[in-house]
Amino acid sequence: MAARAQNFVCQSCGAAAARWAGRCEACGEWNTMVEEGALAPARSSRKGRVFVIEPLKGATHEAPRAASGIAEFDRVTGGGLVRGSVLLLGGDPGIGKSTLLLEVAAAFARARHRAVYISGEEAVAQVRLRAERLGLSEATVELAAETAVEDIVATLSHGAIPRLLVIDSIQTMWTQAVEAAPGTVTQVRGSAAELIRFAKRTGSAVILVGHVTKDGQIAGPRVVEHMVDAVLSFEGEGSQQFRILRAIKNRFGPTDEIGVFEMTGAGLREVANPSELFLSERDLGSPGTAVFAGIEGTRPLLVEIQALVAPTTLGTPRRAVVGWDASRLSMVLAVLEAHCGVRLSGHDVYLNVAGGLRIQEPAADVAAAAALVSSLTHAPLPADAVYFGEVSLSGAVRPVAQTAARLKEAQKLGFTRAVAPESARNESPDGVALKTVGALADLVADIARDGTAPLRRVGRPDG
Ligand code: TYD
Ligand code: MG
């Protein structure tokens, strides 16, 4: 018998190599290569089995999706869980993944679907304790503390097929199909493959919980992300009560919707109007804050953008950004410098999106620029104004999508002014005074006029 080829697998990205190396060639991480068994035992003598090929056109008997009734969860999944689909839910430890999924399982049970919750991390008693705290002790969720995938699949293949199976977490599962030690990438991948097969075979929706590493990746295998139908991430600042559920990948739904929850003493509460939450602790009247009228998925969302611009003591000034794209900030700073006469090269710049939200829209450019200039010139922005618009490299303010929805949300929350691109001219609802800006320089001049610190114009001496 020939010796089996050595199989070294990177514990960070899942790449395999024949030889050990100090650094993974695929992802560049150090000390992550670990020897593991081969993924599947060789079965060279097996002949192919003949299977039936079906036409594309055909009757689908059952409702393909089941909603949980938890609106924020259903929104992110695209209207509920598709039969036979597999979701991966990632998030920091302690963020509330187990809490969320126990609530989702209970919601399914309430709708008379069979929901099974398998915990590989906690004992049944601990899960019961959590259910009690959530007021769900009466829910007909079926529980087990198990880690052997074959046992789980064998148990659930009898009787009614569950409509929802929660595996908390995939890192604790192990399968006999592979030889590697529990917890290794190969085991996680093997266990996930087994559970995905179960989902596809039976039509049960499966949610796998995945731990997240320090740098925010779902621990171990990125490969599992490619195997599943949807990857959701549950995020939040440890110190704050908001939790945001976001789809990173979704074969059956949108990836730009977010679900907003608040962690309370009795579980997660849905937040139907997140703008109110994100604006609840505003620092009125101080310079450096602007309210951005954004859109997350289909829903408008107002959020405060905070900037701090301060003279630097370093040779290279600092640029730090939380909740927004760092390269977007660099671009806005470059445009301010090149087209608006705002000199920032001697200043440290900090930008923060309040409430732990992460914004991805370029429409936040104008709000970020307004906050930056406000901080630099010590000119507080009007407390009743919202800002949005994309800034182009030429310094022009470009139109953005869904202007009407942004303005309407602003009106609903009592804002009376909006600074927006020219294209918004005819879309303003009653009660919101619109100020359109064609060029960022106009806005900068407007803000600086009220400031106590003069703008240091490039190429012009002060005073
Ligand atoms: P948990 O769901 O165990 O997190 P994860 O599975 O992502 O590790 O949630 C743990 C945290 O949530 C813990 O710090 C306690 C807090 N919590 C509440 O604040 N209220 C609650 O009702 C529950 C169940 C947990
Ligand atoms: Mg947990």
Short mmCIF file of all heavy atoms in Angstrom, two decimals, residues 381-407:
data_model
loop_
_atom_site.label_atom_id
_atom_site.label_comp_id
_atom_site.label_asym_id
_atom_site.label_seq_id
_atom_site.Cartn_x
_atom_site.Cartn_y
_atom_site.Cartn_z
N LEU A 381 -22.85 72.34 12.95
CA LEU A 381 -23.83 72.30 11.86
C LEU A 381 -25.21 72.43 12.48
O LEU A 381 -25.41 72.07 13.64
CB LEU A 381 -23.70 70.98 11.10
CG LEU A 381 -22.34 70.74 10.45
CD1 LEU A 381 -22.26 69.31 9.91
CD2 LEU A 381 -22.10 71.74 9.33
N PRO A 382 -26.19 72.93 11.71
CA PRO A 382 -27.54 73.01 12.26
C PRO A 382 -28.03 71.64 12.71
O PRO A 382 -27.84 70.64 12.00
CB PRO A 382 -28.37 73.55 11.09
CG PRO A 382 -27.48 73.54 9.90
CD PRO A 382 -26.08 73.46 10.36
N ALA A 383 -28.65 71.61 13.88
CA ALA A 383 -29.05 70.32 14.46
C ALA A 383 -30.20 69.69 13.70
O ALA A 383 -30.45 68.49 13.83
CB ALA A 383 -29.44 70.52 15.92
N ASP A 384 -30.92 70.50 12.92
CA ASP A 384 -32.10 69.97 12.24
C ASP A 384 -31.84 69.71 10.75
O ASP A 384 -32.76 69.71 9.95
CB ASP A 384 -33.27 70.95 12.39
CG ASP A 384 -32.92 72.31 11.81
OD1 ASP A 384 -31.74 72.54 11.49
OD2 ASP A 384 -33.83 73.15 11.67
N ALA A 385 -30.58 69.49 10.39
CA ALA A 385 -30.24 69.28 8.98
C ALA A 385 -29.70 67.87 8.75
O ALA A 385 -28.99 67.33 9.60
CB ALA A 385 -29.22 70.31 8.52
N VAL A 386 -30.06 67.31 7.60
CA VAL A 386 -29.45 66.05 7.18
C VAL A 386 -28.62 66.30 5.92
O VAL A 386 -28.86 67.26 5.19
CB VAL A 386 -30.49 64.94 6.88
CG1 VAL A 386 -31.27 64.57 8.12
CG2 VAL A 386 -31.40 65.34 5.74
N TYR A 387 -27.65 65.43 5.69
CA TYR A 387 -26.73 65.59 4.57
C TYR A 387 -26.63 64.30 3.79
O TYR A 387 -26.57 63.23 4.38
CB TYR A 387 -25.33 65.95 5.09
CG TYR A 387 -25.27 67.28 5.80
CD1 TYR A 387 -25.70 67.40 7.12
CD2 TYR A 387 -24.79 68.41 5.16
CE1 TYR A 387 -25.66 68.61 7.78
CE2 TYR A 387 -24.75 69.63 5.81
CZ TYR A 387 -25.18 69.73 7.11
OH TYR A 387 -25.15 70.94 7.75
N PHE A 388 -26.62 64.40 2.48
CA PHE A 388 -26.25 63.24 1.66
C PHE A 388 -25.82 63.68 0.28
O PHE A 388 -26.13 64.79 -0.16
CB PHE A 388 -27.39 62.21 1.58
CG PHE A 388 -28.65 62.71 0.93
CD1 PHE A 388 -28.85 62.56 -0.44
CD2 PHE A 388 -29.64 63.32 1.68
CE1 PHE A 388 -30.03 63.00 -1.04
CE2 PHE A 388 -30.82 63.78 1.08
CZ PHE A 388 -31.01 63.63 -0.28
N GLY A 389 -25.09 62.82 -0.42
CA GLY A 389 -24.61 63.11 -1.77
C GLY A 389 -23.24 62.50 -1.95
O GLY A 389 -22.47 62.39 -0.99
N GLU A 390 -22.98 62.08 -3.16
CA GLU A 390 -21.67 61.49 -3.45
C GLU A 390 -20.76 62.59 -3.99
O GLU A 390 -21.22 63.47 -4.72
CB GLU A 390 -21.83 60.38 -4.49
CG GLU A 390 -20.55 59.67 -4.82
CD GLU A 390 -20.74 58.53 -5.83
OE1 GLU A 390 -21.87 58.09 -6.02
OE2 GLU A 390 -19.73 58.13 -6.43
N VAL A 391 -19.50 62.55 -3.63
CA VAL A 391 -18.56 63.56 -4.11
C VAL A 391 -17.67 62.92 -5.17
O VAL A 391 -17.13 61.83 -4.97
CB VAL A 391 -17.71 64.09 -2.94
CG1 VAL A 391 -16.60 64.99 -3.46
CG2 VAL A 391 -18.59 64.85 -1.96
N SER A 392 -17.55 63.60 -6.30
CA SER A 392 -16.68 63.06 -7.35
C SER A 392 -15.28 63.65 -7.18
O SER A 392 -15.09 64.61 -6.44
CB SER A 392 -17.23 63.39 -8.73
OG SER A 392 -17.02 64.76 -8.99
N LEU A 393 -14.32 63.08 -7.87
CA LEU A 393 -12.94 63.55 -7.73
C LEU A 393 -12.77 64.98 -8.19
O LEU A 393 -11.84 65.67 -7.82
CB LEU A 393 -11.99 62.63 -8.49
CG LEU A 393 -11.73 61.27 -7.83
CD1 LEU A 393 -10.85 60.40 -8.70
CD2 LEU A 393 -11.10 61.45 -6.46
N SER A 394 -13.70 65.44 -9.02
CA SER A 394 -13.61 66.82 -9.49
C SER A 394 -14.19 67.81 -8.49
O SER A 394 -14.20 69.01 -8.71
CB SER A 394 -14.36 66.94 -10.81
OG SER A 394 -15.74 66.71 -10.58
N GLY A 395 -14.75 67.29 -7.39
CA GLY A 395 -15.32 68.17 -6.38
C GLY A 395 -16.80 68.43 -6.58
O GLY A 395 -17.41 69.18 -5.82
N ALA A 396 -17.39 67.82 -7.60
CA ALA A 396 -18.83 67.99 -7.84
C ALA A 396 -19.61 67.07 -6.91
O ALA A 396 -19.11 66.01 -6.50
CB ALA A 396 -19.16 67.66 -9.29
N VAL A 397 -20.82 67.49 -6.55
CA VAL A 397 -21.69 66.63 -5.74
C VAL A 397 -22.62 65.89 -6.69
O VAL A 397 -23.39 66.50 -7.42
CB VAL A 397 -22.48 67.45 -4.71
CG1 VAL A 397 -23.47 66.56 -3.98
CG2 VAL A 397 -21.52 68.10 -3.72
N ARG A 398 -22.51 64.57 -6.68
CA ARG A 398 -23.25 63.76 -7.65
C ARG A 398 -24.55 63.24 -7.05
O ARG A 398 -24.66 63.05 -5.85
CB ARG A 398 -22.38 62.59 -8.10
CG ARG A 398 -21.15 63.02 -8.87
CD ARG A 398 -20.22 61.85 -9.06
NE ARG A 398 -21.00 60.63 -9.22
CZ ARG A 398 -21.24 60.04 -10.40
NH1 ARG A 398 -20.72 60.53 -11.48
NH2 ARG A 398 -21.95 58.94 -10.46
N PRO A 399 -25.54 62.99 -7.94
CA PRO A 399 -26.82 62.47 -7.45
C PRO A 399 -26.68 61.07 -6.85
O PRO A 399 -25.77 60.33 -7.21
CB PRO A 399 -27.69 62.43 -8.70
CG PRO A 399 -26.79 62.58 -9.86
CD PRO A 399 -25.53 63.21 -9.39
N VAL A 400 -27.57 60.75 -5.94
CA VAL A 400 -27.60 59.40 -5.37
C VAL A 400 -29.00 58.83 -5.50
O VAL A 400 -29.95 59.57 -5.76
CB VAL A 400 -27.18 59.41 -3.87
CG1 VAL A 400 -25.73 59.84 -3.73
CG2 VAL A 400 -28.08 60.32 -3.06
N ALA A 401 -29.11 57.53 -5.31
CA ALA A 401 -30.41 56.87 -5.48
C ALA A 401 -31.34 57.15 -4.29
O ALA A 401 -30.87 57.52 -3.21
CB ALA A 401 -30.20 55.36 -5.63
N GLN A 402 -32.61 56.97 -4.52
CA GLN A 402 -33.64 57.00 -3.47
C GLN A 402 -33.66 58.28 -2.66
O GLN A 402 -33.78 58.25 -1.43
CB GLN A 402 -33.47 55.80 -2.54
CG GLN A 402 -33.46 54.49 -3.31
CD GLN A 402 -33.71 53.30 -2.42
OE1 GLN A 402 -34.68 53.29 -1.68
NE2 GLN A 402 -32.89 52.30 -2.50
N THR A 403 -33.55 59.39 -3.36
CA THR A 403 -33.57 60.68 -2.69
C THR A 403 -34.85 60.89 -1.89
O THR A 403 -34.82 61.34 -0.74
CB THR A 403 -33.45 61.80 -3.74
OG1 THR A 403 -32.24 61.57 -4.47
CG2 THR A 403 -33.40 63.16 -3.11
N ALA A 404 -35.98 60.56 -2.52
CA ALA A 404 -37.27 60.82 -1.87
C ALA A 404 -37.38 60.08 -0.54
O ALA A 404 -37.84 60.63 0.46
CB ALA A 404 -38.40 60.41 -2.81
N ALA A 405 -36.92 58.83 -0.53
CA ALA A 405 -37.02 58.03 0.70
C ALA A 405 -36.15 58.63 1.81
O ALA A 405 -36.54 58.66 2.98
CB ALA A 405 -36.60 56.59 0.42
N ARG A 406 -35.00 59.13 1.43
CA ARG A 406 -34.11 59.75 2.42
C ARG A 406 -34.77 60.98 3.03
O ARG A 406 -34.77 61.19 4.25
CB ARG A 406 -32.80 60.18 1.76
CG ARG A 406 -31.95 59.04 1.23
CD ARG A 406 -30.75 59.59 0.46
NE ARG A 406 -30.22 58.61 -0.48
CZ ARG A 406 -29.25 57.75 -0.21
NH1 ARG A 406 -28.67 57.77 0.96
NH2 ARG A 406 -28.84 56.88 -1.11
N LEU A 407 -35.34 61.82 2.16
CA LEU A 407 -35.93 63.06 2.63
C LEU A 407 -37.16 62.79 3.49
O LEU A 407 -37.42 63.48 4.47
CB LEU A 407 -36.27 63.96 1.44
CG LEU A 407 -35.04 64.49 0.69
CD1 LEU A 407 -35.45 65.13 -0.63
CD2 LEU A 407 -34.28 65.49 1.56
#
